[in-house]
Amino acid sequence: MKENSCNKKVVILGGGPNRIGQGIEFDYCCVHASFALKEEGYKSIMVNCNPETVSTDYDTSDKLYFEPLTIEDVLNIMEKENPLGVIVQFGGQTPLTIAMPLKMAGIKVLGTDPDAIDMAEDRDRFRLFLEKLNLKQAPGDIVFNPQQAVQTAAKIGYPVLVRPSYVLGGRAMEIVYDENSLYEFVKEAIEESGEKGVLIDKFLEDAIEVDTDAICDGKTCVIGGILEHVEEAGIHSGDSAMIMPPYSLGVDIIEKIRAQTKRIAIELGVRGLMNIQFAVKDEDVYILEVNPRASRTIPFVSKGIGVPLAKLATKIMIGFTLEELGFTKEIIPEYFCAKESVFPFNRFPGVDCILGPEMKSTGEVMGIDKSFEMAYAKSQIAAGQKLPLDGKIFISVRDRDKPAVVDIARELQQMGFTLLASTGTGKYLSDRGFNVTVIPKISEGRPNIIDYIKNNEVSLIINTPSGKKPRKDILSTRHFAVEHGIPLVTTIPGARATTSAIKKLKTGKLSVSSLQIYHSQFKKK
C-alpha cells in the first residue's frame, strides 16, 4: 500500500565523511533516493556531513542537514521535521549502526526492518539464521576474548578469518595463519566490535568469491546482477576486480546462487536492496555475508543493466511493488562488465599495496566489451594500469604460487616478453625450461630490480605476498613500482586475467561504445 504523498517528508541518511573503506558509491544511491522521492511527490531531507558529495549539493534535496550521523543528531532532526520515516539503506555501514536505536526511539525506518538488518550484521545471529535455512557457511564460532579465539581456531584449523560485527570497510578483518598472530588480531577486532563479539571462521583458501545484488519488495525478489571476483576469496569486495555476468562459473553454481539469494531475501523480509557475498569451492556454495542494504556495487550493476536500482528500491520503501515498477525479470547482459578498483597507494608511500580483507580502495572504474578479456583490459587502462604489449616482466611469487605461475610465465614468453625473476622464482622457472634472467635481491648486489625500475626497463611486475610482514626488498619493489607507474599485480588470479587481457590487446582491436548503445541491445528484445 502506497503512502499518501501529500506534504509527506522522508529523511535520507548519507554515508558521512568519505574515507578509505567508505566509497562514494553510497552517495550515488542517496542522490537517486532523493530523485525517486521527488518523482513521487515526496519532500526529501538529506542528512550528511561531507562537502565533497553530490548529496550535499544545495539543489539535490528539498532540505539538507549538514550534521554528523550520530543517533543524537538524527533524533533531533526527526523531532524538528516529523517525517513519514527515515531511509538507512543507502549510506553504507554508517547509518546501519543507528537503525536499531532509531526504531527503539519510535522512528519509522522505511524498507527492511532494523531487526533483519541486525540479524545480518550480528555475526552470531547471522550464523543461527543460516543454520535455520540449512545453508552452507564456513565452520566457526563467536568469541569475546583471545583465549576463546585460540580454542576455536584449534578446533576448526588454520587459516581462519577474523571478522568483527558492524564495521566499516572490513575494518579489523584479517586472515590469520598461526596462534601468535591470532592473539594480536583478535584483541584489535574486539576493540572494534565491542560487546557484539568477533566471528572466527575457517578461511576458504583458493575459493572463488561472488557478489550478488538483488532488489525485493517483501514478496518478490529480482536479481540485479551476479558478479564474479577476479581475485580469490579473502580480498575485500570493495578492492576486488569483478566481472558481470560471471565468466568461469558453471550454470548449476549460478542457479544455486540465484535460488539462495531469493530465499534469503524473502526470509529476511527485505524491502529494498540486498547484497550477498558467496564463496564457491569444489562445487559447494558458501555464504560469507548478507547485507540488507545498498552495496557499493549498486552503481556498477545499475549502469551495467541500464536499470536505476537505487531509485526502484526507494519507491519500494514508500509502498510500490516490483510489478508496479515494471522490473520483474533479471537482466543478463550479452556483454561483460568489468569493475576495477582504484587505490591511493601513490599518496601513501609507507603503505604496502597488498590487498586483503580490509578495504583500501578509494574509487572504481568500469570496462565493457563483448569479451571478458577486453572488458578487463579496458578496466585496467581506466584504473591507470597501462598494460604493456612488449618489454620485460618481473616475476616474484611465494612458494605456494610457484606451480600456478608456470602457465602464466609460459604464455607471457610466447607473446614475446622477456622474463626477469627473483632468485627463488627464477630457479623454479629455469628448472622447467624457461629462459629467465635471475635478478639478485637488493641486499645481494646490482643491477637489482630497483635499478631496472629506475632505468624504465620493467613493463609489468607480478609479485604475490610471502607473509604479513614482507621482506624489506620486496616491500621496496612494490613501493618503487607504484611510484614509477609500473603495473603491479599481487594475486595469481589477477595475473591470469592480466595475461589474458594483454593477449587480447595484442591480437584484437580496442573499440569504444556508449552505455546507451550497449543497453539498446537487450532493450530491443
Side-chain angles (χ1 to χ4, degrees):
M1 180 179 175
K2 291 184 272 294
E3 301 283 355
N4 180 7
S5 63
C6 181
N7 295 322
K8 295 292 185 180
K9 298 182 287 187
V10 173
V11 170
I12 304 165
L13 300 187
N18 278 3
R19 59 273 202 202
I20 295 173
Q22 175 85 345
I24 197 68
E25 302 88 352
F26 297 125
D27 202 67
Y28 165 101
C29 295
C30 291
V31 171
H32 274 239
S34 184
F35 293 165
L37 290 170
K38 284 183 181 179
E39 286 177 9
E40 300 305 325
Y42 289 75
K43 290 188 176 179
S44 60
I45 300 170
M46 189 72 65
V47 181
N48 206 357
C49 53
N50 183 359
E52 297 297 322
T53 55
V54 181
S55 68
T56 53
D57 284 355
Y58 69 93
D59 57 351
T60 295
S61 297
D62 293 294
K63 189 176 285 189
L64 168 67
Y65 281 88
F66 200 88
E67 299 290 343
L69 288 151
T70 64
I71 185 63
E72 294 86 359
D73 289 284
V74 173
L75 285 176
N76 286 338
I77 294 167
M78 295 296 173
E79 184 179 359
K80 177 177 172 56
E81 292 292 341
N82 191 27
L84 168 73
V86 59
I87 294 175
V88 301
Q89 281 192 29
F90 295 139
Q93 194 66 46
T94 305
L96 290 193
T97 58
I98 61 172
M100 279 298 282
L102 284 171
K103 181 183 179 180
M104 292 168 66
I107 304 299
K108 184 176 182 181
V109 176
L110 299 178
T112 306
D113 190 280
D115 186 62
I117 294 172
D118 186 69
M119 184 180 293
E121 288 289 333
D122 186 294
R123 302 299 184 192
D124 200 27
R125 292 188 69 193
F126 177 61
R127 181 171 54 84
L128 295 172
F129 171 74
L130 292 184
E131 286 176 4
K132 173 188 167 187
L133 297 184
N134 198 28
L135 297 175
K136 285 188 177 180
Q137 56 185 319
D141 205 355
I142 200 85
V143 302
F144 295 91
N145 59 58
Q147 292 78 16
Q148 290 178 344
V150 169
Q151 291 171 4
T152 297
K155 183 171 64 177
I156 64 177
Y158 290 93
V160 297
L161 184 61
V162 178
R163 295 195 291 168
S165 302
Y166 281 106
V167 292
L168 177 73
R171 174 73 184 145
M173 287 189 189
E174 193 62 56
I175 302 166
V176 182
Y177 289 84
D178 59 77
E179 185 175 314
N180 290 337
S181 301
L182 179 64
Y183 201 92
E184 294 302 316
F185 288 128
V186 168
K187 283 202 305 186
E188 179 187 352
I190 287 172
E191 287 179 10
E192 292 289 334
S193 194
E195 62 184 25
K196 292 288 185 181
V198 173
L199 185 68
I200 306 293
D201 56 14
K202 178 71 176 174
F203 174 61
L204 302 169
E205 291 190 283
D206 302 318
I208 298 171
E209 193 162 342
V210 180
D211 261 65
T212 304
D213 284 312
I215 186 168
C216 184
D217 60 13
K219 294 181 180 179
T220 303
C221 176
V222 179
I223 304 293
I226 299 175
L227 300 85
E228 180 179 348
H229 291 214
V230 172
E231 286 82 10
E232 66 272 359
I235 306 298
H236 192 282
S237 61
D239 289 352
S240 293
M242 299 183 192
I243 309 296
M244 180 184 76
Y247 66 100
S248 74
L249 297 176
V251 174
D252 292 345
I253 292 293
I254 294 173
E255 281 305 317
K256 276 186 189 178
I257 288 171
R258 281 198 183 99
Q260 291 185 21
T261 298
K262 292 178 180 180
R263 188 179 174 198
I264 289 170
I266 299 300
E267 189 71 23
L268 278 176
V270 170
R271 294 184 59 82
L273 295 169
M274 180 188 72
N275 169 269
I276 302 181
Q277 292 166 26
F278 296 90
V280 179
K281 184 174 173 63
D282 302 328
E283 299 301 309
D284 289 321
V285 175
Y286 296 86
I287 292 166
L288 301 179
E289 280 194 5
V290 174
N291 298 302
R293 58 167 173 83
S295 72
R296 57 177 49 83
T297 49
I298 284 296
F300 172 80
V301 172
S302 296
K303 290 175 188 293
I305 65 173
V307 176
L309 293 173
K311 266 190 177 183
L312 299 189
T314 304
K315 294 185 180 184
I316 286 172
M317 291 180 212
I318 56 176
F320 285 84
T321 65
L322 283 166
E323 188 174 358
E324 289 172 326
L325 295 170
F327 186 60
T328 57
K329 186 179 178 182
E330 178 185 355
I331 296 173
I332 303 174
E334 294 182 0
Y335 46 82
F336 290 93
C337 303
K339 177 187 87 74
E340 182 56 282
S341 299
V342 178
F343 299 92
F345 296 131
N346 59 340
R347 304 289 180 92
F348 300 99
V351 175
D352 193 5
C353 38
I354 289 299
L355 306 182
E358 194 165 335
M359 183 175 162
K360 296 179 179 179
S361 65
T362 52
E364 61 186 42
V365 295
M366 183 178 190
I368 305 180
D369 203 89
K370 284 287 186 181
S371 72
F372 149 70
E373 295 87 355
M374 191 61 85
Y376 186 75
K378 288 179 178 179
S379 73
Q380 297 307 295
I381 294 167
Q385 290 264 66
K386 299 175 183 176
L387 300 183
L389 301 181
D390 53 40
K392 298 174 182 176
I393 294 180
F394 176 70
I395 305 174
S396 176
V397 297
R398 58 189 173 187
D399 289 342
R400 59 179 289 230
D401 290 336
K402 285 181 171 64
V405 86
V406 170
D407 288 340
I408 296 168
R410 182 176 292 112
E411 194 155 4
L412 289 169
Q413 199 162 62
Q414 287 172 354
M415 285 190 280
F417 288 96
T418 300
L419 299 184
L420 312 174
S422 59
T423 308
T425 303
K427 183 179 185 309
Y428 190 89
L429 293 175
S430 295
D431 290 346
R432 283 150 184 81
F434 284 87
N435 181 16
V436 56
T437 301
V438 177
I439 297 177
K441 294 178 184 177
I442 295 172
S443 59
E444 292 177 345
R446 305 179 74 170
N448 53 49
I449 184 59
I450 301 300
D451 296 316
Y452 277 85
I453 292 172
K454 286 180 176 179
N455 294 332
N456 297 318
E457 292 185 65
V458 180
S459 302
L460 173 72
I461 292 177
I462 299 172
N463 173 227
T464 61
S466 55
K468 183 65 183 175
K469 294 183 178 178
R471 296 196 318 266
K472 188 175 181 181
D473 58 323
I474 293 297
L475 200 57
S476 297
T477 300
R478 293 197 282 259
H479 286 170
F480 266 85
V482 171
E483 286 176 9
H484 287 74
I486 296 171
L488 172 66
V489 183
T490 59
T491 66
I492 288 296
R496 286 197 195 99
T498 299
T499 302
S500 299
I502 291 171
K503 187 174 183 179
K504 193 71 174 179
L505 285 171
K506 285 175 74 73
T507 58
K509 186 179 179 182
L510 189 69
S511 62
V512 178
S513 296
S514 68
L515 275 174
Q516 289 81 358
I517 290 175
Y518 282 108
H519 294 164
S520 66
Q521 295 175 19
F522 53 73
K523 287 182 178 177
K524 288 178 182 177
K525 297 181 179 180

